[in-house]
Amino acid sequence: MKKILTTALVGALVAGLAFADIGFDYTGTAIIAGPAKNGFGKSIVRKDCLSIDFSNDKAGVVFDVDIVDGSGASKLEYDQFYGWLTFALPVGNLQVTTGKWAGRWASRLKGDAGDLDDEFYEAYKLGTIETALEIGKDIDNLTGKDKMSTVLAYTLNDVLPGSLMIKAGLVDVSKTDYKKYNTVAKNPDVTIKSGFVGELCYRQENLFKFNVAFKTLRQDQYGVGIFLSPLMLDKLGATVGFSFGMESQENTSDTIKDGWDYFEYGVDLRLRYQITDKWAVTTMHNISGWNVSAKADNVDDEGTNAMWNMLSTSYKAGDNIRFIATVQNTVKQFDAEYPKANVFAITPSCEISAGDHATVTAGFDIRWDGVTPWRGTGDISLPVYVSFSL
């Protein structure tokens, strides 16, 4: 029966894509880095990302491949590959998506980043940061991107005042460290190979956008993210969120015979204000914390807090040129001796467009990781991005 169902789905997907639109995207990234006192060229990382998609209003397939070269030997990585089918129902529609992909929905307000990614613009995604178990890290990413997942999404439009979407899915965790997912204390013969994820999304135009994401990838482990974006403000974009994760274990070791309870949280605030047609300012802030309390009376609690702040400005100097300047500071542990757990970075960059489908972005990043800014030796990077699409 499973083979018949799989064959039917593949056949429907192929038939649905017979008259599909084809899209192609390419982004080439080269990062030259090294300590400031020794100059550039100490390390060079190159990555070429190629993405091709076939889609129409009923189905689609995406293949996203990275060619990574970090030490003179290139390797091929499948970044994303997934497909989807949409079925019309008497009320609403149902979409089935399976494969490896990033399934985020909340507004991250990173439109001014362009091709700049990760530490050069958005060091942390929505959720918790720098926690012990990272249950709520990137909590809005329902699928985790690097794991095989199957998600059902039911969408209801034109019935309510806004648009409602309900998601539910399974995430393959069998290739993760299975010992972490084994319920040793309660049942040594049971290994959890799939986690459950769910999400409730609601959007009402010119009013607000709201979603709640839920994950449980391990027995007695739960993560939740709640995000809200007001849409009634003309020039101001905003996202506020609260995330938390919890886990409980029994008899985990000889030193903590009664087990422990763990809790982490993260609070997000992001704002983007369009000052003029040319100027825009974006800020991103997160404060997180975690605590583990042992159930044994003779063991002390453990935990700390972390914080990340980012400020970026974007200026469009002409029809095809834009400047971006970003400042970020991370405190990974509040109780650590300064500046061992501190990261301070500045990243000015320039984006040049060669038409609507091709851009070149060059940046200059200097950061002080665990050293005093301006006084200690920083690390310098020169990220360069070349991208085009068809």
Side-chain angles (χ1 to χ4, degrees):
M1 182 65 185
K2 184 177 180 181
K3 289 184 178 180
I4 295 174
L5 180 59
T6 302
T7 304
L9 286 173
V10 172
L13 184 60
V14 172
L17 294 176
F19 302 98
D21 295 326
I22 300 176
F24 174 79
D25 293 277
Y26 165 81
T27 301
T29 305
I31 301 174
I32 304 174
K37 65 180 180 180
N38 295 329
F40 301 121
K42 291 298 178 182
S43 63
I44 300 175
V45 177
R46 178 172 179 82
K47 181 172 72 173
D48 294 271
C49 178
L50 300 95
S51 178
I52 185 169
D53 65 88
F54 305 86
S55 64
N56 56 29
D57 58 346
K58 300 296 183 183
V61 176
V62 174
F63 299 95
D64 194 318
V65 179
D66 291 346
I67 304 173
V68 182
D69 184 357
S71 59
S74 298
K75 61 179 181 179
L76 193 66
E77 295 180 352
Y78 292 99
D79 191 23
Q80 298 186 83
F81 54 94
Y82 61 96
W84 72 91
L85 288 170
T86 303
F87 303 91
L89 301 177
V91 179
N93 64 72
L94 180 68
Q95 186 177 87
V96 183
T97 306
T98 187
K100 292 185 179 182
W101 78 100
R104 302 183 180 96
W105 196 83
S107 299
R108 292 159 61 194
L109 299 179
K110 62 181 298 288
D112 290 336
D115 289 327
L116 294 172
D117 59 4
D118 297 333
E119 73 270 23
F120 300 127
Y121 191 87
E122 183 192 27
Y124 298 94
K125 308 296 189 296
L126 294 169
T128 59
I129 66 169
E130 302 297 341
T131 55
L133 297 185
E134 298 183 338
I135 300 171
K137 182 179 180 181
D138 196 10
I139 188 70
D140 187 49
N141 185 358
L142 210 62
T143 61
K145 184 179 177 180
D146 60 339
K147 299 179 177 64
M148 290 293 296
S149 310
T150 298
V151 175
L152 304 180
Y154 173 74
T155 303
L156 187 63
N157 294 316
D158 305 323
V159 176
L160 302 172
S163 176
L164 174 68
M165 181 166 59
I166 302 173
K167 294 183 178 181
L170 296 175
V171 179
D172 179 16
V173 295
S174 60
K175 293 185 179 180
T176 312
D177 183 0
Y178 75 92
K179 292 181 180 179
K180 292 182 179 180
Y181 293 81
N182 195 15
T183 59
V184 176
K186 299 180 180 179
N187 190 342
D189 298 324
V190 175
T191 299
I192 297 176
K193 294 186 177 181
S194 293
F196 174 79
V197 296
E199 189 170 26
L200 175 67
C201 310
Y202 182 79
R203 179 187 178 97
Q204 187 166 350
E205 291 296 333
N206 301 319
L207 190 59
F208 68 91
K209 175 181 177 180
F210 171 81
N211 73 304
V212 179
F214 171 79
K215 298 180 183 179
T216 175
L217 303 181
R218 171 177 173 173
Q219 185 172 353
D220 298 323
Q221 181 188 94
Y222 308 95
V224 177
I226 306 169
F227 301 96
L228 174 66
S229 295
L231 303 177
M232 74 289 289
L233 306 174
D234 185 23
K235 295 184 177 181
L236 179 66
T239 295
V240 294
F242 176 72
S243 308
F244 67 88
M246 58 180 65
E247 182 173 334
S248 178
Q249 291 290 338
E250 304 287 345
N251 302 324
T252 55
S253 68
D254 292 336
T255 56
I256 308 178
K257 292 183 179 298
D258 296 325
W260 45 264
D261 291 316
Y262 173 86
F263 179 80
E264 66 181 36
Y265 75 92
V267 179
D268 279 286
L269 172 62
R270 298 190 178 195
L271 302 169
R272 181 188 182 275
Y273 185 69
Q274 188 73 44
I275 302 174
T276 67
D277 291 340
K278 296 184 176 181
W279 281 101
V281 175
T282 302
T283 65
M284 301 182 182
H285 310 275
N286 180 287
I287 183 168
S288 297
W290 64 272
N291 178 267
V292 56
S293 57
K295 296 179 181 180
D297 295 334
N298 60 337
V299 181
D300 295 332
D301 291 357
E302 184 180 354
T304 187
N305 295 292
M307 181 172 61
W308 168 61
N309 295 290
M310 174 273 220
L311 174 65
S312 180
T313 181
S314 171
Y315 177 70
K316 189 175 182 180
D319 292 337
N320 65 340
I321 186 169
R322 188 168 64 96
F323 296 98
I324 309 105
T326 304
V327 180
Q328 302 188 62
N329 183 69
T330 303
V331 182
K332 298 181 179 180
Q333 296 179 25
F334 276 18
D335 52 359
E337 181 182 354
Y338 180 82
K340 291 182 179 180
N342 281 50
V343 181
F344 182 80
I346 54 176
T347 313
S349 57
C350 176
E351 178 187 273
I352 301 175
S353 301
D356 295 334
H357 303 285
T359 60
V360 176
T361 304
F364 174 87
D365 178 89
I366 181 167
R367 60 186 56 233
W368 293 268
D369 189 346
V371 295
T372 303
W374 311 110
R375 295 175 59 187
T377 301
D379 295 317
I380 295 177
S381 300
L382 296 176
V384 178
Y385 301 83
V386 177
S387 63
F388 66 86
S389 61
L390 299 176

